[in-house]
Amino acid sequence: MRPTALRQALLIGAVVPAALLLPALASAAEPTSEESQSAFEREIDKIGWHDGFEITVDKVTAKSDDATTTLDFDLNYKNLVGVSHTPTDKAYLEVDGAVVKLSFDSPEIAGGGQASGTATASLKSPSDAPDVDDVVDSVVLVYGQADQNQTRIPLAEHDSVESIEPRGIPAGMTFGTDMEITLDEAFLWPSYQPGEKDKHEVWVKINAHCGRCSTGGFSDVNPGDFELTGPDGQSSRGDKRGGFISENVSSINKIEGEWIVFVMDDPTPGPYTFLWENSNPAKPAQASTQITL
């Protein structure tokens, strides 16, 4: 090869790699859409109670850009009752007084079981563009409306949860001769029904079978046949909100693991009389015991 041709080949070899690098260098200088978002993750680890569940907010992940901030919640649910059901989606975020809707992905959870779920919300990014950490501090997760007993779980580290913890009531007693009844479990917690703010529910799980079946048993045993009376005289008939409708009790039929629910004003601590009375006056029968709240 002649010296002139050799010099030209060396120049081409030096120029081409540099030209090939130019697009890559330009691309590296431009922020990607992911880099343009500000991502933030916070361990929350706060517990509240609502609608038969112990709810733990494990973690929240926030991604923010110029227009919106997206919050993703990692939640854990513990079902406190023996009936399988799905955690409520009647919850929202309160952000500086404004309501922001949440989208939930929650499984049906077996009675006494535990499982994880998620929730997502999108907020408008404030015009003054504060730090994502400050945005998360402004958020409160709220279960229930203003006319209900609410659960409020703030995401700010030093703000306290507002929630009423359910508590177990000593149970396990068996009583009655015509119809033999066992109180299997019992709980006291707030009512979460609309219009029942400051009211409470007593949930009692019963099993029952025919004791003296020579009477032919008892037909249409239902929650209204049960009554709970407190030391202050406050009395409540059983409510069907526990899922139990009615059952015949005989030599071949029995009640197994059904919940009777009593709605009460703020219960006075002390002994309560739990009474069953047959609703058919042609076949009078009753049985009672005491539970302590």
Side-chain angles (χ1 to χ4, degrees):
M1 181 180 292
R2 283 188 284 181
T4 304
L6 179 60
R7 283 197 302 272
Q8 289 174 340
L10 289 172
L11 285 171
I12 291 171
V15 170
V16 170
L20 289 172
L21 285 172
L22 286 175
L25 290 170
S27 176
E30 296 174 5
T32 65
S33 60
E34 190 170 328
E35 288 171 339
S36 68
Q37 288 189 331
S38 177
F40 176 81
E41 187 176 285
R42 180 186 291 178
E43 298 290 332
I44 303 297
D45 196 27
K46 290 185 179 183
I47 295 175
W49 296 267
H50 197 83
D51 194 31
F53 285 96
E54 177 184 287
I55 304 167
T56 303
V57 181
D58 289 325
K59 181 177 71 174
V60 64
T61 303
K63 287 186 179 179
S64 183
D65 58 26
D66 292 339
T68 60
T69 299
T70 301
L71 299 179
D72 293 314
F73 291 81
D74 289 348
L75 306 169
N76 185 270
Y77 301 100
K78 183 178 180 181
N79 188 351
L80 300 178
V81 298
V83 180
S84 65
H85 65 300
T86 303
T88 180
D89 60 0
K90 291 179 170 55
Y92 58 90
L93 299 184
E94 189 176 290
V95 185
D96 295 329
V99 170
V100 177
K101 291 183 179 179
L102 274 165
S103 174
F104 284 90
D105 183 5
S106 304
E108 182 175 352
I109 301 175
Q114 191 166 326
S116 297
T118 60
T120 302
S122 291
L123 322 178
K124 277 188 176 181
S125 293
S127 56
D128 53 355
D131 190 80
V132 182
D133 192 26
D134 295 332
V135 174
V136 174
D137 276 344
S138 69
V139 174
V140 181
L141 173 59
V142 182
Y143 288 87
Q145 299 299 320
D147 66 343
Q148 300 171 259
N149 289 307
Q150 289 185 324
T151 290
R152 299 173 59 85
I153 304 176
L155 303 189
E157 182 180 358
H158 299 294
D159 291 352
S160 299
V161 174
E162 297 176 31
S163 186
I164 302 174
E165 181 177 0
R167 62 178 177 85
I169 300 168
M173 58 285 287
T174 298
F175 60 99
T177 52
D178 296 298
M179 187 168 78
E180 192 170 291
I181 304 167
T182 299
L183 305 190
D184 193 25
E185 296 178 69
F187 286 95
L188 171 67
W189 53 41
S191 167
Y192 298 115
Q193 300 294 323
E196 292 187 355
K197 185 176 175 63
D198 299 326
K199 289 187 178 292
H200 289 70
E201 296 175 347
V202 179
W203 286 60
V204 183
K205 186 179 181 181
I206 71 163
N207 299 307
H209 65 273
C210 191
R212 293 196 292 214
C213 285
S214 58
T215 61
F218 303 94
S219 62
D220 190 30
V221 177
N222 64 80
D225 296 341
F226 297 86
E227 185 177 53
L228 191 65
T229 304
D232 59 353
Q234 181 184 180
S235 183
S236 173
R237 287 279 177 180
D239 190 299
K240 294 181 180 179
R241 67 184 64 185
F244 174 50
I245 305 300
S246 69
E247 185 61 80
N248 297 329
V249 176
S250 67
S251 58
I252 58 173
N253 292 314
K254 56 187 176 181
I255 297 172
E256 294 184 284
E258 296 287 0
W259 290 92
I260 311 292
V261 182
F262 303 93
V263 181
M264 313 192 80
D265 295 329
D266 194 12
T268 301
Y272 281 67
T273 299
F274 183 97
L275 170 71
W276 165 75
E277 190 167 24
N278 188 24
S279 54
N280 182 0
K283 191 185 290 186
Q286 63 176 224
S288 67
T289 188
Q290 284 196 333
I291 61 175
T292 302
L293 272 59

